[in-house]
Amino acid sequence: MKPAINDASACQHAGKPSPVHHRNGHRHNRPRRPDISEVERQIAGLAERSTPDLRVAWRQLHRTGPPPGLSRDLLIRALANQLQEQRYGGVSRALRRRLQNLAEVSDKAMMAVDPGLVLKAGTTLVRQWRGHTHMVLVHNDGFEHAGQRYRSLTAIAERITEAHWSGPRFFGLTKRTRAVAGAKTSR
């Protein structure tokens, strides 16, 4: 007669339930995931609804009409996102606070929204452009170029080049530029 198999992996290979118990008891007693088919069905149904019906759903959800230029596609995506948030929960309070702080800081133009771009006050940026050297002094609340204050590096880059430029890219502050510069120096 064979001894009883108590090895969890052997039981699984034999098609039997695992004898391994989890924190809340047996593994089959764990809470199940919510039924995602219901949310998926509701989201799929959004595409079949008329645009005026989607606008009514927006008004019911937000107690105001959708933004004037919002396309049907974005309306469907926003409503689908709301359905998912209602079912699975939205962003945490901490993340919501962080996003709000970033939006407020961006409105005040006190710092770049890109967390990878942090310039300390007093830093001087130097750029050669068409035979002229341009120097920019970083302040806590903006930048100074040729004795004039600016809220962004992009405004300075546009003034220098008379064309639309990304300020960080113009002054060599992007990751792509740094990677290329690092590759050239390592040769």
Side-chain angles (χ1 to χ4, degrees), residues 20-64:
V20 176
H21 292 280
H22 296 273
R23 286 184 203 163
N24 296 337
H26 195 270
R27 73 181 182 108
H28 295 292
N29 294 339
R30 290 183 293 177
R32 294 184 178 192
R33 285 186 49 196
D35 183 20
I36 60 172
S37 62
E38 175 63 22
V39 173
E40 289 174 349
R41 185 186 60 73
Q42 290 176 338
I43 291 172
L46 290 174
E48 298 169 4
R49 294 171 74 173
S50 68
T51 303
D53 192 25
L54 292 171
R55 292 182 190 281
V56 168
W58 180 283
R59 279 187 204 91
Q60 290 172 343
L61 192 61
H62 297 285
R63 297 190 185 355
T64 183

Side-chain angles (χ1 to χ4, degrees), residues 86-104:
Q86 286 174 349
R87 181 68 172 139
Y88 305 114
V91 297
S92 67
R93 276 191 235 152
L95 179 58
R96 191 167 295 159
R97 270 193 311 270
R98 174 78 173 130
L99 291 172
Q100 184 63 39
N101 288 339
L102 286 173
E104 289 171 5

Side-chain angles (χ1 to χ4, degrees), residues 128-171:
Q128 291 279 337
W129 179 257
R130 297 195 175 163
H132 296 284
T133 302
H134 298 276
M135 295 182 15
V136 173
L137 180 62
V138 178
H139 292 279
N140 285 329
D141 60 347
F143 305 92
E144 183 179 334
H145 172 257
Q148 215 173 357
R149 296 292 286 262
Y150 295 88
R151 291 177 58 162
S152 71
L153 285 173
T154 300
I156 297 170
E158 288 177 352
R159 174 131 169 97
I160 292 170
T161 63
E162 297 178 351
H164 179 71
W165 269 80
S166 160
R169 177 170 274 174
F170 180 78
F171 286 99

